[in-house]
Amino acid sequence: MLTLVSNFLNRISQGVCCLLLLVMTMVVLAQVFCRYVISASLPWSEELARYLMVWLTFLGAGIALKKGSHMGLDILQPLLPARAQSLLRQTCLFPVAVFLIIFTVKGAQLALFNLGQHSPAMGVSMGLVYLALPSGGLIMLVHTAARLASSRGTLDTRSSE
């Protein structure tokens, strides 16, 4: 069940990241066109591009975790027998899960704290920008929990997508 939820969240994250990247590219291109061709600047474009990049970063981190694309050290792992390698990979998931729980809770607190603050150019609530932290953290936590629940529990196993 967790694997199905993890796969679903990954597909949604991929679609949202594609959309955010497209919008960010269009906004930056519009800003460049307006600045250098029309000689008029869009005051909100740089801010919007920055906030879209924040969301891309945290949603993309979940996609990378699902695919096993995050950096890691494998100095000890190849020296161990296969069963010990599997146990080591499974054990490494526990500190990751603990970190993601703390990250998600603190990110949610930060988002709630900043709901009343508004961005200077666009006037949107900064809570929406900071909501990227708990959203990405929760997605990564679901991926980690699915990996823990699976029989293999490896960080380097490629997803079926």
Side-chain angles (χ1 to χ4, degrees):
M1 179 65 176
L2 268 175
T3 303
L4 292 174
V5 172
S6 175
N7 290 339
F8 175 74
L9 285 174
N10 195 53
R11 282 191 300 274
I12 295 295
S13 296
Q14 288 173 338
V16 170
C17 281
C18 287
L19 180 65
L20 293 177
L21 186 59
L22 177 68
V23 171
M24 188 173 71
T25 303
M26 293 175 72
V27 165
V28 170
L29 287 175
Q31 170 63 3
V32 169
F33 177 79
C34 288
R35 180 174 289 166
Y36 293 107
V37 176
I38 302 175
S39 296
S41 188
L42 301 173
W44 50 266
S45 63
E46 186 258 335
E47 191 173 277
L48 178 60
R50 184 180 329 122
Y51 298 155
L52 292 174
M53 179 62 85
V54 169
W55 272 92
L56 273 167
T57 299
F58 288 103
L59 292 178
I63 295 167
L65 182 68
K66 176 73 175 170
K67 291 183 175 184
S69 298
H70 282 280
M71 288 181 13
L73 294 174
D74 59 354
I75 297 169
L76 177 63
Q77 183 180 337
L79 302 174
L80 299 173
R83 182 151 170 79
Q85 286 181 15
S86 177
L87 182 63
L88 178 64
R89 287 188 298 256
Q90 189 81 8
T91 304
C92 288
L93 289 173
F94 286 104
V96 170
V98 169
F99 170 78
L100 288 172
I101 290 168
I102 295 168
F103 179 82
T104 302
V105 169
K106 292 298 182 183
Q109 290 172 350
L110 187 62
L112 287 172
F113 180 76
N114 285 292
L115 275 177
Q117 180 184 359
H118 297 282
S119 68
M122 295 188 314
V124 299
S125 171
M126 290 304 293
L128 295 175
V129 177
Y130 286 106
L131 193 60
L133 280 74
S135 300
L138 187 61
I139 290 169
M140 288 186 278
L141 186 58
V142 169
H143 294 329
T144 303
R147 184 95 22 99
L148 274 168
S150 73
S151 60
R152 292 179 293 196
T154 60
L155 278 174
D156 58 353
T157 300
R158 301 290 173 185
S159 69
S160 60
E161 307 211 11

